Amino acid sequence: KETSPKKMAQGADAPLQFLGMESNPDVMTKLVGELGLPAKWSVNEVFGLEPDLLSFVPAPTVAVILLFPSKPVFKECKAQQKKKIDDEGQKVPDNLFFLKQGSTLGDACGTIALIHSVANNVEKLGLADGPLKDFIEKTKGMDPIARGEALARDTGIHAAHSKFVQQGQTSTAEEGGTGHHFTSFTVLDGDLFELDGSKGFPVNRGPCGEGDLLIRTAEVIRKEWMDKDPEEVHFCIMAIGPQPE
């Protein structure tokens, strides 16, 4: 059923409410297309991390999106990761586009994963004029917190999100709180970056050639998620790349 955009609080400048998104590649392809991604690109399902299954993913892969359960083991890893970065630092290019998912953004992590994936590959993907290109331009020079706050009030991106969430939503999305979280990965300046808005900081996962993005990300997902909770099976992996033939 159609629902009008909701706000999390009263007032003309109140943050917009983002409902949780299902991990549906077709719906995510439509959403990112509405935001300005040319039709020759799509969000493609990754059926497994074994090399033979990765070989079925249309190449070149520009970004990878992971959906994983929001469980204590992964939250503990996030805390350890933050401490390590605070203590040791990390290399992050000045031109990396990253936004922090604050509490006002609700369940926007699926759309944020798409934004991070595309905004760091604008020229490569040939991003067309539209809500996302406008957002990138108007938030240029902002820090991650300010970018997140700007997204919470961006009516163009919110309208697209709401339109396609309704096509792929589940009861958990309607109720608010999916129990899962999206993050994304892409290569910039020779390094693989994990871009998770809920962490508040990008994570440099080490050297990576652009042609190795998919296989290197598969290694990171296996080590940092699957191996840490071997009994968990509720993961979904998608890749932004060419439309399947």
Side-chain angles (χ1 to χ4, degrees):
K1 62 182 180 180
E2 292 293 327
T3 56
S4 59
K6 299 178 182 178
K7 292 192 174 183
M8 298 181 73
Q10 299 300 317
D13 196 37
L16 298 163
Q17 182 183 27
F18 286 77
L19 296 175
M21 178 180 293
E22 192 174 11
S23 56
N24 183 319
D26 291 337
V27 171
M28 295 187 83
T29 296
K30 292 176 183 177
L31 168 55
V32 77
E34 185 92 353
L35 295 177
L37 188 69
K40 68 179 182 179
W41 302 101
S42 68
V43 180
N44 303 311
E45 188 165 1
V46 178
F47 293 101
L49 300 182
E50 294 75 18
D52 59 330
L53 293 175
L54 294 177
S55 69
F56 286 107
V57 179
T61 294
V62 176
V64 175
I65 294 173
L66 168 68
L67 179 74
F68 62 94
S70 299
K71 298 177 71 173
V73 61
F74 302 128
K75 293 177 181 178
E76 182 181 342
C77 290
K78 179 168 72 172
Q80 294 171 354
Q81 201 170 56
K82 183 178 187 307
K83 184 178 186 310
K84 181 178 180 181
I85 290 173
D86 287 344
D87 291 344
E88 302 176 10
Q90 63 174 346
K91 182 178 72 172
V92 178
D94 292 337
N95 61 335
L96 184 141
F97 187 97
F98 182 77
L99 67 87
K100 178 175 171 58
Q101 181 181 348
S103 59
T104 57
L105 278 168
D107 289 317
C109 57
T111 292
I112 291 172
L114 289 172
I115 290 172
H116 281 150
S117 297
V118 176
N120 286 291
N121 295 284
V122 169
E123 293 186 8
K124 187 181 303 179
L125 293 169
L127 182 64
D129 292 342
L132 181 50
K133 200 168 195 178
D134 291 344
F135 178 74
I136 294 169
E137 282 299 315
K138 76 181 182 184
T139 60
K140 191 176 293 183
M142 288 186 181
D143 63 34
I145 294 174
R147 279 195 183 122
E149 292 171 348
L151 179 61
R153 290 169 173 79
D154 191 289
T155 55
I157 292 178
H158 176 263
H161 173 98
S162 299
K163 174 181 178 180
F164 292 107
V165 161
Q166 289 160 12
Q167 289 188 19
Q169 71 185 10
T170 61
S171 59
T172 54
E174 290 179 357
E175 294 162 4
T178 62
H180 289 73
H181 184 69
F182 288 93
T183 188
S184 62
F185 302 82
T186 196
V187 172
L188 193 65
D189 290 358
D191 285 317
L192 176 66
F193 285 92
E194 178 197 342
L195 305 170
D196 181 345
S198 74
K199 290 183 175 179
F201 52 88
V203 180
N204 187 327
R205 292 292 187 176
C208 181
E210 292 189 3
D212 298 325
L213 168 59
L214 185 57
I215 193 164
R216 279 281 291 114
T217 301
E219 293 169 356
V220 170
I221 290 172
R222 187 182 298 280
K223 178 182 176 182
E224 300 296 336
W225 278 271
M226 294 181 174
D227 288 352
K228 288 188 178 353
D229 192 352
E231 302 302 316
E232 180 58 66
V233 297
H234 296 100
F235 297 97
C236 180
I237 304 167
M238 294 165 283
I240 294 182
Q243 283 276 4
E245 296 182 358

